[in-house]
Short mmCIF file of all heavy atoms in Angstrom, two decimals:
data_model
loop_
_atom_site.label_atom_id
_atom_site.label_comp_id
_atom_site.label_asym_id
_atom_site.label_seq_id
_atom_site.Cartn_x
_atom_site.Cartn_y
_atom_site.Cartn_z
N GLU E 192 71.12 -11.50 -37.82
CA GLU E 192 71.00 -12.93 -38.14
C GLU E 192 70.18 -13.15 -39.41
O GLU E 192 70.49 -14.06 -40.20
CB GLU E 192 70.34 -13.66 -36.97
CG GLU E 192 71.26 -13.80 -35.76
CD GLU E 192 70.54 -14.34 -34.54
OE1 GLU E 192 69.29 -14.26 -34.49
OE2 GLU E 192 71.23 -14.82 -33.61
N GLN E 193 69.16 -12.34 -39.64
CA GLN E 193 68.39 -12.43 -40.88
C GLN E 193 69.28 -12.18 -42.09
O GLN E 193 69.23 -12.91 -43.08
CB GLN E 193 67.23 -11.43 -40.86
CG GLN E 193 66.12 -11.77 -39.89
CD GLN E 193 64.97 -10.78 -39.97
OE1 GLN E 193 64.65 -10.26 -41.04
NE2 GLN E 193 64.35 -10.51 -38.84
N ILE E 194 70.08 -11.13 -41.99
CA ILE E 194 70.97 -10.77 -43.11
C ILE E 194 71.99 -11.88 -43.35
O ILE E 194 72.25 -12.27 -44.51
CB ILE E 194 71.66 -9.43 -42.82
CG1 ILE E 194 70.62 -8.30 -42.78
CG2 ILE E 194 72.73 -9.13 -43.87
CD1 ILE E 194 71.15 -6.98 -42.28
N GLU E 195 72.55 -12.43 -42.27
CA GLU E 195 73.53 -13.50 -42.40
C GLU E 195 72.88 -14.77 -42.96
O GLU E 195 73.46 -15.46 -43.81
CB GLU E 195 74.16 -13.79 -41.04
CG GLU E 195 75.24 -14.87 -41.05
CD GLU E 195 76.44 -14.49 -41.90
OE1 GLU E 195 76.68 -13.29 -42.12
OE2 GLU E 195 77.15 -15.43 -42.35
N HIS E 196 71.68 -15.07 -42.49
CA HIS E 196 70.96 -16.25 -42.98
C HIS E 196 70.69 -16.14 -44.48
O HIS E 196 70.84 -17.13 -45.21
CB HIS E 196 69.64 -16.36 -42.22
CG HIS E 196 68.83 -17.56 -42.59
ND1 HIS E 196 69.08 -18.82 -42.11
CD2 HIS E 196 67.75 -17.69 -43.42
CE1 HIS E 196 68.21 -19.68 -42.62
NE2 HIS E 196 67.39 -19.02 -43.42
N GLU E 197 70.30 -14.97 -44.94
CA GLU E 197 70.05 -14.77 -46.37
C GLU E 197 71.32 -15.04 -47.18
O GLU E 197 71.26 -15.64 -48.26
CB GLU E 197 69.57 -13.33 -46.62
CG GLU E 197 68.14 -13.07 -46.22
CD GLU E 197 67.15 -13.60 -47.24
OE1 GLU E 197 67.35 -13.37 -48.45
OE2 GLU E 197 66.17 -14.25 -46.83
N LYS E 198 72.46 -14.62 -46.67
CA LYS E 198 73.73 -14.83 -47.37
C LYS E 198 74.07 -16.31 -47.48
O LYS E 198 74.61 -16.78 -48.48
CB LYS E 198 74.86 -14.07 -46.67
CG LYS E 198 74.76 -12.57 -46.78
CD LYS E 198 75.91 -11.90 -46.04
CE LYS E 198 75.83 -10.38 -46.14
NZ LYS E 198 76.92 -9.72 -45.37
N ILE E 199 73.76 -17.05 -46.40
CA ILE E 199 74.07 -18.48 -46.38
C ILE E 199 73.11 -19.28 -47.25
O ILE E 199 73.53 -20.18 -47.99
CB ILE E 199 74.01 -19.01 -44.92
CG1 ILE E 199 75.12 -18.37 -44.09
CG2 ILE E 199 74.13 -20.54 -44.89
CD1 ILE E 199 75.02 -18.67 -42.60
N ARG E 200 71.83 -18.94 -47.20
CA ARG E 200 70.80 -19.76 -47.84
C ARG E 200 70.53 -19.44 -49.30
O ARG E 200 70.11 -20.31 -50.07
CB ARG E 200 69.48 -19.62 -47.06
CG ARG E 200 69.41 -20.40 -45.78
CD ARG E 200 69.17 -21.89 -46.03
NE ARG E 200 67.88 -22.13 -46.63
CZ ARG E 200 67.69 -22.60 -47.85
NH1 ARG E 200 68.72 -22.91 -48.62
NH2 ARG E 200 66.47 -22.79 -48.32
N PHE E 201 70.74 -18.20 -49.72
CA PHE E 201 70.28 -17.79 -51.05
C PHE E 201 71.38 -17.13 -51.87
O PHE E 201 72.25 -16.44 -51.33
CB PHE E 201 69.09 -16.83 -50.93
CG PHE E 201 67.91 -17.42 -50.21
CD1 PHE E 201 67.69 -17.17 -48.86
CD2 PHE E 201 67.03 -18.26 -50.88
CE1 PHE E 201 66.62 -17.73 -48.20
CE2 PHE E 201 65.95 -18.83 -50.22
CZ PHE E 201 65.74 -18.56 -48.87
N LYS E 202 71.30 -17.36 -53.17
CA LYS E 202 72.19 -16.66 -54.08
C LYS E 202 71.88 -15.16 -54.03
O LYS E 202 70.76 -14.76 -53.71
CB LYS E 202 72.00 -17.18 -55.51
CG LYS E 202 72.41 -18.63 -55.69
CD LYS E 202 72.18 -19.08 -57.12
CE LYS E 202 72.58 -20.53 -57.31
NZ LYS E 202 72.35 -21.02 -58.70
N GLU E 203 72.86 -14.36 -54.38
CA GLU E 203 72.72 -12.92 -54.23
C GLU E 203 71.48 -12.37 -54.92
O GLU E 203 70.76 -11.52 -54.38
CB GLU E 203 73.97 -12.21 -54.77
CG GLU E 203 73.97 -10.72 -54.53
CD GLU E 203 75.28 -10.06 -54.93
OE1 GLU E 203 76.22 -10.78 -55.33
OE2 GLU E 203 75.37 -8.82 -54.83
N GLU E 204 71.19 -12.89 -56.13
CA GLU E 204 70.06 -12.37 -56.89
C GLU E 204 68.71 -12.77 -56.28
O GLU E 204 67.67 -12.20 -56.62
CB GLU E 204 70.11 -12.85 -58.35
CG GLU E 204 70.05 -14.35 -58.55
CD GLU E 204 71.42 -15.02 -58.55
OE1 GLU E 204 72.38 -14.42 -58.01
OE2 GLU E 204 71.52 -16.14 -59.07
N ASN E 205 68.71 -13.76 -55.37
CA ASN E 205 67.47 -14.21 -54.76
C ASN E 205 67.29 -13.74 -53.32
O ASN E 205 66.28 -14.06 -52.69
CB ASN E 205 67.41 -15.74 -54.80
CG ASN E 205 67.36 -16.30 -56.21
OD1 ASN E 205 66.78 -15.67 -57.10
ND2 ASN E 205 67.97 -17.44 -56.42
N ARG E 206 68.26 -13.00 -52.80
CA ARG E 206 68.17 -12.55 -51.41
C ARG E 206 67.18 -11.39 -51.27
O ARG E 206 66.99 -10.59 -52.19
CB ARG E 206 69.55 -12.08 -50.93
CG ARG E 206 70.56 -13.20 -50.81
CD ARG E 206 71.94 -12.66 -50.49
NE ARG E 206 72.95 -13.70 -50.68
CZ ARG E 206 74.25 -13.46 -50.85
NH1 ARG E 206 74.69 -12.20 -50.82
NH2 ARG E 206 75.09 -14.45 -51.03
N LEU E 207 66.55 -11.34 -50.10
CA LEU E 207 65.68 -10.21 -49.80
C LEU E 207 66.53 -8.97 -49.59
O LEU E 207 67.61 -9.05 -48.97
CB LEU E 207 64.85 -10.50 -48.56
CG LEU E 207 63.87 -11.67 -48.65
CD1 LEU E 207 63.24 -11.93 -47.28
CD2 LEU E 207 62.80 -11.40 -49.69
N PRO E 208 66.09 -7.82 -50.08
CA PRO E 208 66.87 -6.59 -49.90
C PRO E 208 67.09 -6.28 -48.42
O PRO E 208 66.16 -6.42 -47.60
CB PRO E 208 65.99 -5.52 -50.56
CG PRO E 208 65.10 -6.26 -51.51
CD PRO E 208 64.86 -7.60 -50.87
N ILE E 209 68.29 -5.87 -48.07
CA ILE E 209 68.59 -5.52 -46.68
C ILE E 209 67.67 -4.40 -46.20
O ILE E 209 67.22 -4.39 -45.05
CB ILE E 209 70.07 -5.13 -46.54
CG1 ILE E 209 70.96 -6.35 -46.78
CG2 ILE E 209 70.34 -4.55 -45.14
CD1 ILE E 209 72.45 -6.07 -46.72
N GLU E 210 67.37 -3.47 -47.09
CA GLU E 210 66.47 -2.37 -46.73
C GLU E 210 65.10 -2.88 -46.30
O GLU E 210 64.51 -2.38 -45.33
CB GLU E 210 66.32 -1.42 -47.92
CG GLU E 210 65.45 -0.21 -47.62
CD GLU E 210 65.32 0.73 -48.81
OE1 GLU E 210 65.85 0.39 -49.89
OE2 GLU E 210 64.69 1.78 -48.65
#
Side-chain angles (χ1 to χ4, degrees):
E192 287 172 341
Q193 290 183 35
I194 294 171
E195 182 63 23
H196 182 80
E197 285 282 314
K198 291 179 180 178
I199 294 172
R200 282 284 295 114
F201 300 98
K202 295 180 180 179
E203 186 173 357
E204 61 270 21
N205 296 327
R206 293 173 193 160
L207 296 174
I209 293 178
E210 182 180 4

